[in-house]
Amino acid sequence: MQFFRADEQSVSNDTEKPIVKKEMKAKNLVTAAAVSAALSLSVTALAKEEKHEEQTINSSDVPAAVQQAAQAEAKGGSIVRWEKEGANYEAVIQKNGKQIGVEMNANGKVLSKHDEAKEHKKEGSY
């Protein structure tokens, strides 16, 4: 028969529980950190991919409002190609010896303009 002092048993039980709780908390923190890191990396990778997904399309696939806005921007020049970037459209306009990209939303609102030659030099396409 073994005899335990009352204070020995309570000390051993009290010291075991916090250790188990600390180990579980540490495991949960490590798991949460790993999941957070994986999610942030995948979101960053997706954002980088979406920025450069340009798809050449036919003018027949471009809404009339976008075509009209592009024609107004192209006065004195010509539209050499159409691109679709996500939900937006881009008209590449040849004007005064330069190619200008004009990005528009589906309603024909001009969102931005840029020099196509500079864009392709950055990407290493040309």
Side-chain angles (χ1 to χ4, degrees):
M1 184 180 258
Q2 271 185 330
F3 291 101
F4 293 101
R5 290 188 336 197
D7 60 353
E8 282 182 343
Q9 191 174 8
S10 65
V11 169
S12 65
N13 283 342
D14 288 343
T15 57
E16 287 178 23
K17 288 181 182 176
I19 291 172
V20 171
K21 285 183 180 178
K22 285 181 183 178
E23 287 177 10
M24 288 180 68
K25 283 183 181 178
K27 286 180 184 177
N28 288 342
L29 285 173
V30 169
T31 302
V35 169
S36 296
L39 287 173
S40 65
L41 288 174
S42 64
V43 168
T44 303
L46 270 176
K48 285 183 180 179
E49 277 182 29
E50 288 178 11
K51 278 186 180 178
H52 298 290
E53 276 192 37
E54 294 177 348
Q55 190 177 6
T56 302
I57 58 173
N58 294 321
S59 60
S60 60
D61 297 326
V62 179
V66 177
Q67 288 187 20
Q68 290 172 352
Q71 290 298 333
E73 292 291 327
K75 284 186 182 173
S78 63
I79 299 171
V80 293
R81 74 177 175 275
W82 286 98
E83 297 174 352
K84 183 143 172 55
E85 299 176 8
N88 297 326
Y89 296 87
E90 181 177 335
V92 178
I93 299 169
Q94 181 79 34
K95 190 174 183 179
N96 299 327
K98 294 184 180 181
Q99 285 192 353
I100 307 295
V102 180
E103 187 176 358
M104 296 163 275
N105 67 13
N107 297 323
K109 179 181 178 188
V110 175
L111 303 174
S112 67
K113 297 178 187 179
H114 59 272
D115 185 340
E116 278 289 297
K118 288 181 182 177
E119 178 182 308
H120 289 290
K121 281 181 185 175
K122 283 184 201 173
E123 292 175 4
S125 299
Y126 285 68

